Amino acid sequence: MKSQIISTAAFLLTISLPVTAQATNDDQIRQLLATKKCQNCQLINAGLALADLSGADLRGANLEGANLSRANLTGADLRSANLAGASLFGVNLSRAKLNEANLTGADLRNTYLMNIELTNANLNGANFQGAVGIPLQIAKPEEFYAWGVAAADKGNLKPAIDYFSQALALKPDYAGAYLSRGVASYQNLDRKNALEDAQMAAKLFEEQKNAEGVKTALAFILELKTPYGEKVTTGKPSFMDFVGSLGSILLQFLPF
């Protein structure tokens, strides 16, 4: 009889755990929203989209799989927090502290990252496409290049130029990035900078013995030096159309 009671109690405890955990989760969400303090809280899969969490203390919090889309986390303290698989789409993380945080597989597209702290953070598989203010140390030149191509193809020319510039800051002899930035500048009606980038690209391609690259850069230079009334190409092509008209040289620098 005693063993049956123990077994029954154990069973009831087991089936009640998810409810208890959910209640704890809800209580801690309310605590966070009311006080902006929830250190070491269990907030797995929490729904916090659009929440104002500026300056919040979330040190060590478990936010795995949480939805923080478009939340305001300006200046928030997320040191050692677990944000694996979390949705941070469009979040403002300016001045946020994420040192030693786990951001594995997190969605950081279109985030604002100015002056963010990411020392020793785990960024494996994190998606930073469209993010503004990406620190140079968290991405490779080829990734900045790929983001630039994606932004330019959508007509977002200024962010594209910024991405290409970041790629060049990390890899000054990145001929493809010079050429791509030149094309984006051309699309942005800035012929002066476009020509400077095209000429630098041609020089680097020649030094790197990339015959196709030299040919592509020279074709672009010809386009830029042609008077407006004597277009080499008709109309004003899109970024990818223009790339295609010059050849596939730019696409070979994509990291996939």
Side-chain angles (χ1 to χ4, degrees):
M1 181 66 177
K2 184 177 180 181
S3 61
Q4 287 181 322
I5 294 173
I6 293 173
S7 297
T8 302
F11 173 73
L12 291 174
L13 177 61
T14 301
I15 63 173
S16 69
L17 281 175
V19 177
T20 303
Q22 182 61 48
T24 301
N25 184 283
D26 290 342
D27 288 343
Q28 293 185 341
I29 289 175
R30 284 192 287 270
Q31 173 189 330
L32 173 61
L33 294 175
T35 68
K36 294 188 179 181
K37 294 181 179 180
C38 211
Q39 190 174 347
N40 297 318
C41 284
Q42 292 299 314
L43 298 167
I44 298 173
N45 298 321
L48 293 163
L50 300 173
D52 179 10
L53 299 172
S54 54
D57 183 356
L58 283 159
R59 286 173 291 170
N62 187 357
L63 287 150
E64 182 176 358
N67 181 8
L68 289 148
S69 299
R70 301 193 184 282
N72 182 4
L73 283 162
T74 305
D77 192 343
L78 288 147
R79 285 175 290 179
S80 299
N82 180 15
L83 289 150
S87 175
L88 294 156
F89 180 87
V91 170
N92 189 343
L93 285 163
S94 302
R95 303 191 311 280
K97 298 177 181 178
L98 285 106
N99 304 319
E100 299 185 346
N102 180 10
L103 288 155
T104 304
D107 182 1
L108 288 144
R109 291 173 300 156
N110 296 351
T111 48
Y112 296 88
L113 306 174
M114 286 72 72
N115 300 312
I116 192 173
E117 296 181 17
L118 287 163
T119 304
N120 295 326
N122 186 343
L123 303 172
N124 290 333
N127 186 350
F128 287 94
Q129 186 168 335
V132 177
I134 302 174
L136 291 178
Q137 69 270 23
I138 71 172
K140 299 176 181 178
E142 293 77 13
E143 291 174 311
F144 282 115
Y145 179 86
W147 294 331
V149 170
D153 190 34
K154 293 177 182 177
N156 300 324
L157 298 174
K158 187 179 184 307
I161 291 169
D162 290 341
Y163 283 132
F164 294 136
S165 296
Q166 286 177 291
L168 288 166
L170 291 171
K171 189 176 179 181
D173 63 347
Y174 201 161
Y178 271 111
L179 190 55
S180 292
R181 190 173 69 177
V183 174
S185 294
Y186 169 79
Q187 289 293 300
N188 205 33
L189 305 179
D190 182 357
R191 282 200 169 204
K192 179 178 179 296
N193 284 319
L195 180 58
E196 290 177 0
D197 279 346
Q199 290 171 333
M200 178 59 75
K203 177 176 179 293
L204 290 170
F205 279 131
E206 186 172 2
E207 291 174 355
Q208 295 162 12
K209 302 187 186 308
N210 187 326
E212 186 180 358
V214 172
K215 180 180 177 181
T216 303
L218 291 177
F220 183 34
I221 290 170
L222 176 61
E223 169 79 18
L224 291 166
K225 288 186 174 180
T226 301
Y228 281 103
E230 303 175 19
K231 288 285 187 182
V232 174
T233 59
T234 58
K236 183 168 178 282
S238 70
F239 181 85
M240 292 306 291
D241 287 341
F242 192 73
V243 169
S245 73
L246 293 177
S248 61
I249 186 67
L250 301 183
L251 301 181
Q252 77 181 38
F253 295 100
L254 292 173
F256 46 78

